[in-house]
Amino acid sequence: MSVNPMTYEAQFFGFTPQTCMLRIYIAFQDYLFEVMQAVEQVIVKKLDGVSNCDISPIQIRKCTEKFLGFVKGRFDSLFGKMEQLFLQLILHIPPNILLPEDKFQELHPYSEDQFQLLKKEIEQLQEKYKTELCAKQALLAELEEQHAVQARLRQTLTLFDELINVGRHHGTSDFRESLVSLVQNSRKLQDLRGHIEREGAGLETS
């Protein structure tokens, strides 16, 4: 069998030409073996009907194997020539022929150095993409944090608006005055709560 890998032919056919020839060789061997078995069975059956026959089945088997070896040797010799013709004339793509998927390379050829530069540029672009992706994730996280801060700020502004409205309701238009009033009222409520708790404790002890 040929040792030439014939990779371009394998790209076109979907299998290596050597594999094709090997399958043909194996298929013929299997067929030859089956035929010789059938011939042997026919000979043995015919000799069973002959009286005073001195040929035994063992002798027939030896003759069959000898003939099989002779035929196989002749086939191997012919198959070598057939394989050479197939690989050179039938399953061979001439060097001046390009497959359709390789036509672009003919129109835009490039050297090994150009390929390495292109590969390096691709790697640099991939690293840049990863960096920009990380930066994007960081910006999204910061934007989410800003949204949370804005939500808290809106809550605070709403609280201030409510305080101003409460101050206006009680006749205080200035926010500082309303805040002071709110603090004073809060202290009064705390004092009143403490007084009530102390009186409640005194009642429990009595």
Side-chain angles (χ1 to χ4, degrees):
M1 300 295 289
S2 173
V3 296
N4 181 11
M6 302 181 72
T7 54
Y8 205 55
E9 287 78 5
Q11 179 181 342
F12 176 72
F13 292 113
F15 56 85
T16 62
Q18 291 88 344
T19 302
C20 176
M21 298 306 300
L22 180 61
R23 289 179 178 176
I24 293 174
Y25 180 80
I26 293 174
F28 181 83
Q29 276 194 328
D30 293 341
Y31 181 74
L32 179 61
F33 183 74
E34 291 176 1
V35 169
M36 294 308 300
Q37 279 187 325
V39 170
E40 179 182 323
Q41 291 175 0
V42 171
I43 293 174
V44 171
K45 186 176 181 180
K46 290 291 184 180
L47 291 178
D48 285 342
V50 177
S51 59
N52 300 324
C53 180
D54 296 334
I55 302 175
S56 65
I58 296 177
Q59 291 175 323
I60 296 174
R61 171 57 61 87
K62 289 181 179 180
C63 293
T64 303
E65 290 178 351
K66 186 177 181 180
F67 181 72
L68 179 62
F70 170 77
V71 175
K72 186 177 179 302
R74 295 287 294 176
F75 173 75
D76 289 344
S77 177
L78 293 174
F79 185 83
K81 297 177 182 179
M82 183 180 70
E83 178 191 18
Q84 186 177 3
L85 291 175
F86 265 73
L87 296 181
Q88 289 180 355
L89 302 178
I90 300 176
L91 300 176
H92 174 65
I93 298 178
N96 61 327
I97 301 298
L98 280 178
L99 298 179
E101 57 266 29
D102 295 331
K103 288 292 185 180
F104 184 81
Q105 182 178 349
E106 183 182 24
L107 298 175
H108 304 280
Y110 58 91
S111 63
E112 180 65 22
D113 293 337
Q114 291 175 325
F115 174 74
Q116 293 299 330
L117 288 175
L118 182 62
K119 185 178 178 181
K120 185 176 181 180
E121 183 178 354
I122 292 175
E123 291 175 354
Q124 290 175 350
L125 290 174
Q126 287 176 342
E127 290 296 328
K128 185 177 180 181
Y129 171 74
K130 291 179 182 178
T131 303
E132 291 182 353
L133 186 61
C134 292
K136 179 182 178 181
Q137 295 296 332
L139 289 174
L140 290 175
E142 183 178 354
L143 182 62
E144 185 176 355
E145 184 178 355
Q146 288 180 359
H147 288 162
V149 172
Q150 288 178 354
R152 290 197 296 269
L153 181 59
R154 284 194 293 268
Q155 291 177 356
T156 303
L157 292 176
T158 302
L159 178 61
F160 284 157
D161 290 338
E162 291 177 354
L163 290 175
I164 292 173
N165 291 331
V166 170
R168 287 175 181 174
H169 180 72
H170 289 84
T172 305
S173 59
D174 188 9
F175 177 72
R176 288 186 177 180
E177 292 180 1
S178 61
L179 185 59
V180 170
S181 175
L182 180 63
V183 171
Q184 290 176 352
N185 290 332
S186 176
R187 288 177 179 174
K188 289 180 181 179
L189 289 173
Q190 289 178 355
D191 293 339
L192 180 60
R193 177 184 176 185
H195 179 69
I196 293 174
E197 289 178 350
R198 286 193 296 271
E199 287 185 351
L203 291 175
E204 290 179 358
T205 53
S206 61

